[in-house]
Amino acid sequence: MKAEQTFTIKETAAQTGISEDTIRYYEKIALLPRADRKDNGHRVYRQEDIDTIRLLSCLKKTGMPLQDMQPFLAVSADADPADYPELVEHLRNHRENIVSQISSLQQVVDFIDMKLEQGKYRRDCSDKSEDRSEPKNISPVEMSYFSGTAKMNN
C-alpha cells in the first residue's frame, strides 16, 4: 500500500500561494484543522489540506469574511448543493454583493477612462446618470485640474 504524500508548510505555501503565517493563522482560528506533526514537531499537510487552503483562498478573493467561510468547509466537494439550501442562499447573496461591487468599480473605470480621454471636464463617478453630451460651465481652475497646466502656489 502506497503511503499518503505529505508536504511541509513551506511546500504547502508554495503550492497554494498562501503564506506560511496565514496557514498558521487559519489553523489558529480553526479554519484549518491542526496539522499533524512529525517527530521533530514540524507541521505536515496532506493533499486534502492543500485543497481546503485553495478553497479558503478562493472564498477570500471574493471578499467573504473569514468567519463566513467555516460552513463551506464542512461540505464535501462532491456534495449536492440542494442538500445545503442555507449555504446556497448565502452564496447567492454573496454573489449579488460582488456583482454590485463590480458595477461600482466599472463606474470608476469609466470615470478614469473619461479623464484619460478628455482630461479637462470635471465630473464625479457617482451612481447618478447625467447627460454627458454637453460640458458643464467649468471654471479655469477645474479645467486645469487634469490638464497638467495648473501651477501650484507654495
Side-chain angles (χ1 to χ4, degrees), residues 5 10 16 25 33 36 39 59 74-75 80 84-87 92-93 96 99 108-109 122 124 143 149 153-154:
Q5 184 177 11
K10 185 174 188 166
T16 61
Y25 178 70
D36 292 333
D39 291 339
L59 293 174
V75 178
D80 182 357
Y84 302 92
E86 66 286 347
L87 290 180
R92 281 192 179 127
N93 290 336
E96 270 183 42
V99 169
V108 172
V109 168
R122 188 172 190 141
D124 65 23
M143 296 229 8
T149 60
N153 297 329
N154 290 359

Side-chain angles (χ1 to χ4, degrees), residues 55-77:
L55 172 62
L56 291 170
S57 178
C58 182
L59 293 174
K60 189 170 183 344
K61 285 178 185 176
T62 72
M64 183 178 287
L66 294 176
Q67 65 270 16
D68 291 355
M69 295 179 191
Q70 189 67 49
F72 294 95
L73 301 177
V75 178
S76 69

Side-chain angles (χ1 to χ4, degrees), residues 110-127:
D110 292 346
F111 171 76
I112 291 169
D113 288 347
M114 187 273 309
K115 295 315 290 178
L116 291 171
E117 288 173 18
Q118 298 174 358
K120 59 184 179 180
Y121 300 122
R122 188 172 190 141
R123 188 183 103 223
D124 65 23
C125 59
S126 66
D127 290 338

Side-chain angles (χ1 to χ4, degrees), residues 41-146:
H42 292 181
R43 290 172 166 86
V44 292
Y45 297 91
R46 298 176 317 275
Q47 186 61 49
E48 176 183 328
D49 299 317
I50 290 172
D51 294 342
T52 300
I53 293 168
R54 286 183 175 144
L55 172 62
L56 291 170
S57 178
C58 182
L59 293 174
K60 189 170 183 344
K61 285 178 185 176
T62 72
M64 183 178 287
L66 294 176
Q67 65 270 16
D68 291 355
M69 295 179 191
Q70 189 67 49
F72 294 95
L73 301 177
V75 178
S76 69
D78 57 352
D80 182 357
D83 293 339
Y84 302 92
E86 66 286 347
L87 290 180
V88 170
E89 185 62 25
H90 181 73
L91 214 48
R92 281 192 179 127
N93 290 336
H94 189 65
R95 182 188 184 283
E96 270 183 42
N97 290 336
I98 293 169
V99 169
S100 176
Q101 290 172 6
I102 290 169
S103 176
S104 293
L105 288 171
Q106 186 60 55
Q107 290 174 357
V108 172
V109 168
D110 292 346
F111 171 76
I112 291 169
D113 288 347
M114 187 273 309
K115 295 315 290 178
L116 291 171
E117 288 173 18
Q118 298 174 358
K120 59 184 179 180
Y121 300 122
R122 188 172 190 141
R123 188 183 103 223
D124 65 23
C125 59
S126 66
D127 290 338
K128 296 179 253 172
S129 62
E130 58 183 57
D131 181 13
R132 296 185 185 116
S133 59
E134 293 187 30
K136 299 181 201 173
N137 289 332
I138 300 170
S139 74
V141 172
E142 289 175 316
M143 296 229 8
S144 67
Y145 186 70
F146 281 101

